[in-house]
Amino acid sequence: MKQRINTICVQGGYTPKNGEPRQIPIVQSTTFKYDTSEDMGKLFDLEASGYFYTRLQNPTNDCVAAKIAQLEGGTAAMLTSSGQAANFFAIFNIAGCGDHVVASATIYGGTYNLFHVTMKRMGVDFTFVEPDCTDEELAAAFRPNTKAVFGETIANPALTVLDIERFAKAAHDHGVPLIVDNTFATPVNCRPFEWGADIVTHSTTKYMDGHGAAVGGCIVDSGKFDWMAHADKFPGLTTPDESYHGITYAEKFGLEGAFITKCTAQLMRDFGAIQSPQNAFLLNLGLESLHVRMPRHCENALAVAEHLKGCDKISFVTYPGLKGDKYYDLAKKYMPGGTCGVVSFGFKGGRSAAENFMKHLKLAAIETHVADARTCCLHPASATHRQMNDEELLAAGITPDLVRLSCGIEDAADLIADIDQALAQI
Ligand SMILES: *Cc1c(COP(=O)(O)O)cnc(C)c1O
């Protein structure tokens, strides 16, 4: 029976049998016991499925990953220790030294740094394009060695909206998958696979956990990208893996399983960025109310954005759910039910007014975090994005006076009162 998002949030991924625990058990064990060496050997050869060591797979994690796969409408998923690990694995699973990736310029600062500095040192080159570049500019970014296209549904903190259909078409025209970081929208508000994306990633640290309790990440495969049809581009999936007894992932695990199986068997094995089962359990508690929290985050953010729009000390308000916003139409198309709880805005008094305003907030706490049940705020130019020069800042959609306010699920009237008293003091 096909279930709707609200039901999957609560009950997806785990169906207890007669007499089993109602809640997903935390399997707090590093290892699993077998009767014979032959039994275990089959697991190592990927001939039988089963657990042997939590660095590769754990039953708690698998239940939660299955729920997220269901929410996104994908065929397979894996949890990672953080969103950073999820994005690194998603790219590195198909692009290595000598390869190239096209990425939206307006992405999370941590992801930009991962791509632009660390992965560059590993020999992977990135070309960054504006999310609203022309089709010609987008096509011109591809090279013969391009292996993927990457963007964020709603960019953190620039709040640009990715035209998923357009980016998916460009990716597919060049024989490569589109990877979308869906952290800010969550599958409650947007399911990128329905618009042609092939792989989705998440920082589950944000809305999915939603309580500021557990850092984590997730990778979901749509099962739609045909690796064999572009076999020469993706030898890691389409030729034998000597480190796994000559298995060819795309042959053995098909469209639906190849990407995640390779990512688990190679990258999780070698880099070890597994999510702890404890954190997976906490993540699942968050997922159980995600569909209830998201609408409130969005309602509060819209109320705050509309209020800020009328404040005379404010120079601009960016919120994709706000009428008149540059990305309003794209947001309505891809996220008709709401976008996210994050609003950004600037000050007529510039950078110092922004810093001064934040000092006077009482309910909204200064944190690098976003997407928490509690409202929090950040000045990216002096925190998450401080490694960028002004030119890079502007390219990422950030001005020196920009404040990012992540609206929680408190009462909107209290959030607005807090903003008003802080504005009155600057
Ligand atoms: C926070 C964030 C990340 C990084 O996730 P961590 O869990 O902090 O490692 C990646 N992408 C987006 C859009 C984010 O907001």
Side-chain angles (χ1 to χ4, degrees):
M1 194 174 72
K2 187 183 177 299
Q3 291 177 349
R4 293 165 180 81
I5 290 284
N6 296 351
T7 305
I8 300 168
C9 277
V10 183
Q11 297 218 16
Y14 174 65
T15 311
K17 297 189 195 74
N18 197 32
E20 287 184 348
R22 185 66 191 95
Q23 182 54 284
I24 298 176
I26 306 174
V27 180
Q28 192 66 40
S29 183
T30 56
T31 193
F32 300 81
K33 175 248 172 196
Y34 287 90
D35 290 337
T36 69
S37 301
E38 287 76 31
D39 287 346
M40 182 168 275
K42 286 194 183 120
L43 300 180
F44 275 88
D45 285 350
L46 301 182
E47 269 168 26
S49 63
Y51 299 97
F52 52 97
Y53 192 55
T54 285
R55 166 149 49 76
L56 280 111
Q57 271 187 300
N58 174 282
T60 310
N61 291 21
D62 281 358
C63 289
V64 182
K67 176 181 279 190
I68 297 173
Q70 262 178 283
L71 285 171
E72 289 287 4
T75 56
M78 67 194 280
L79 299 187
T80 57
S81 56
S82 66
Q84 286 298 104
N87 282 329
F88 172 53
F89 280 15
I91 301 270
F92 202 62
N93 205 32
I94 47 175
C97 186
D99 290 334
H100 172 259
V101 174
V102 176
S104 166
T106 56
I107 51 175
Y108 175 65
T111 309
Y112 179 80
N113 209 61
L114 168 69
F115 291 174
H116 184 63
V117 179
T118 301
M119 290 195 76
K120 196 170 182 168
R121 268 176 33 213
M122 303 169 91
V124 186
D125 251 340
F126 288 80
T127 296
F128 296 94
V129 296
E130 289 304 314
D132 41 8
C133 65
T134 64
D135 287 344
E136 291 69 32
E137 286 166 335
L138 184 52
F142 286 83
R143 300 180 194 165
N145 58 342
T146 300
K147 297 299 165 81
V149 178
F150 180 93
E152 294 176 4
T153 313
I154 306 172
N156 173 14
L159 302 177
T160 55
V161 175
L162 190 73
D163 193 342
I164 301 171
E165 271 191 320
R166 196 164 73 87
F167 274 67
K169 183 176 182 307
H172 298 159
D173 284 349
H174 292 85
V176 302
L178 172 66
I179 303 172
V180 173
D181 181 332
N182 197 32
T183 297
F184 264 30
T186 83
V188 169
N189 285 341
C190 180
R191 285 165 305 283
F193 294 156
E194 292 173 2
W195 303 99
D198 302 285
I199 311 285
V200 156
T201 60
H202 282 280
S203 165
T204 62
T205 317
K206 312 295 165 51
Y207 290 114
M208 284 190 167
D209 166 45
H211 298 79
V215 172
C218 185
I219 308 172
V220 191
D221 182 12
S222 67
K224 285 187 201 145
F225 194 83
D226 191 349
W227 309 104
M228 277 303 188
H230 308 282
D232 54 323
K233 276 191 194 295
F234 305 104
L237 282 151
T238 60
T239 61
D241 176 3
E242 294 315 326
S243 78
Y244 252 115
H245 306 282
I247 280 172
T248 299
Y249 294 101
E251 269 172 9
K252 183 141 178 111
F253 300 100
L255 292 183
E256 66 282 359
F259 187 87
I260 295 294
T261 306
K262 175 180 182 289
C263 205
T264 302
Q266 287 181 342
L267 301 188
M268 201 54 96
R269 177 194 65 187
D270 296 349
F271 291 103
I274 194 74
Q275 187 165 133
S276 85
Q278 284 278 350
N279 277 10
F281 178 83
L282 292 171
L283 165 57
N284 184 60
L285 289 184
L287 289 170
E288 287 180 2
S289 64
L290 184 66
H291 60 300
V292 182
R293 289 182 287 109
M294 284 313 289
R296 175 61 78 92
H297 280 291
C298 296
E299 255 171 57
N300 283 359
L302 184 59
V304 163
E306 280 170 347
H307 181 74
L308 284 166
K309 195 88 190 158
C311 294
D312 62 1
K313 289 177 183 167
I314 299 299
S315 57
F316 68 87
V317 181
T318 304
Y319 181 63
L322 187 68
K323 258 203 195 91
D325 187 89
K326 190 175 173 192
Y327 293 94
Y328 181 78
D329 291 337
L330 276 181
K332 275 280 166 276
K333 171 178 173 177
Y334 292 110
M335 293 162 275
T339 53
C340 67
V342 181
V343 178
S344 62
F345 49 97
F347 291 80
K348 288 182 184 155
R351 184 183 188 125
S352 64
E355 287 170 344
N356 206 3
F357 167 79
M358 287 183 44
K359 265 183 223 149
H360 292 295
L361 287 171
K362 295 196 166 76
L363 268 182
I366 298 176
E367 295 168 17
T368 53
H369 200 39
V370 286
D372 188 4
R374 288 148 292 217
T375 295
C376 52
C377 67
L378 182 80
H379 181 228
S382 58
T384 46
H385 289 63
R386 69 181 297 137
Q387 78 280 3
M388 288 187 176
N389 62 36
D390 280 3
E391 206 172 80
E392 287 171 329
L393 271 180
L394 286 179
I398 296 156
T399 53
D401 65 330
L402 181 142
V403 166
R404 177 184 77 185
L405 185 74
S406 168
C407 298
I409 54 176
E410 305 93 336
D411 196 305
D414 290 334
L415 299 183
I416 288 169
D418 191 29
I419 288 167
D420 283 348
Q421 64 82 26
L423 279 176
Q425 297 185 67
I426 65 166

